[in-house]
Amino acid sequence: MRLNRILLSTALVVVALVVQVTVLARLHLPGAVPDPLLLVVVGLALVHGHTNGAVIGFGAGLLADLAPPADHATGRYALVLSVIGYLVGLARPETGKLRSATVPMLVVVAAAVTSTLLYAGVGSLVGDTAARNVGLSSLVFTAALYDLLLAPFIVPLVMAMARRVQNDPLTADGPSTLGGSRSGRTGRLGSQRTGLRNRPLRRPSRVKGVKRL
């Protein structure tokens, strides 16, 4: 990943986590807590692909594991979001642009359901039974509902910012097109040198009345 992508992804993850912890978690809504961090990972994975999506998801989840008031095992949400980032990145079209707004919404619902089930499943492996006490079906339904309501305000914005950074000609991958590519300039210089070598040398013309030494 380029430095500008890392900086943008980090900033979006930090902002989403701060909003989630300081605002949404204190609303005490029934069921699950709205998860803008998941939506940021979804938006970035849809633009950058499955590999970068897994890396971004792992970093975002690890940051959420370490941020207070986290009360679960460190690495639990990092594992969940890395899997989500990888799977969502597989849905990225080859052109990098989605033809319909329906696809991101379906991806958000699938990501919310999958992340909730994975989080509860990993929790059961380490002895956390909080999901059973609250009700897993209620958590899955409310998580999908809240994330779907937040998705139109977060996912398109995240994707637009990620595409703008990715398509920046000053930071895009490959040779810069400003002022011509390096290969083009090298080719022109080579052709000029070849023309100079192939051009016959002109002998100096004699000046009448001057004896040639």
Side-chain angles (χ1 to χ4, degrees):
M1 293 178 66
R2 290 273 185 165
L3 179 60
N4 57 338
R5 298 182 190 177
I6 296 175
L7 294 177
L8 176 63
S9 301
T10 303
L12 292 175
V13 166
V14 171
V15 171
L17 181 60
V18 170
V19 172
Q20 180 174 337
V21 173
T22 60
V23 178
L24 298 178
R26 297 184 179 183
L27 295 178
H28 301 292
L29 297 174
V33 176
D35 197 347
L37 190 61
L38 173 67
L39 300 179
V40 169
V41 173
V42 168
L44 293 175
L46 286 174
V47 176
H48 297 316
H50 59 280
T51 302
N52 293 329
V55 174
I56 295 172
F58 179 82
L62 185 61
L63 189 61
D65 289 333
L66 298 176
D71 56 353
H72 54 268
T74 303
R76 179 177 172 184
Y77 203 46
L79 174 62
V80 172
L81 285 188
S82 63
V83 174
I84 295 298
Y86 181 84
L87 295 178
V88 171
L90 294 177
R92 174 181 178 269
E94 296 181 358
T95 58
K97 295 183 179 180
L98 299 173
R99 299 180 180 179
S100 174
T102 306
V103 176
M105 298 301 103
L106 294 177
V107 171
V108 166
V109 173
V113 173
T114 305
S115 63
T116 305
L117 294 176
L118 282 176
Y119 187 82
V122 175
S124 63
L125 294 177
V126 296
D128 186 0
T129 60
R132 297 179 182 177
N133 298 332
V134 176
L136 184 58
S137 59
S138 175
L139 286 177
V140 170
F141 175 77
T142 53
L145 178 61
Y146 296 152
D147 293 343
L148 186 60
L149 293 176
L150 286 177
F153 303 99
I154 297 178
V155 176
L157 179 61
V158 170
M159 294 180 66
M161 296 175 67
R163 286 199 189 103
R164 184 174 182 180
V165 171
Q166 188 175 22
N167 297 329
D168 189 351
L170 295 177
T171 55
D173 296 335
S176 175
T177 57
L178 296 179
S181 63
R182 182 180 300 177
S183 59
R185 293 194 298 268
T186 304
R188 288 194 295 270
L189 291 176
S191 61
Q192 292 175 1
R193 293 175 182 174
T194 304
L196 291 176
R197 288 197 300 268
N198 296 333
R199 183 180 301 174
L201 297 177
R202 295 181 179 180
R203 295 182 179 180
S205 59
R206 295 183 181 182
V207 180
K208 293 183 180 181
V210 178
K211 185 178 179 180
R212 184 179 180 186
L213 298 178

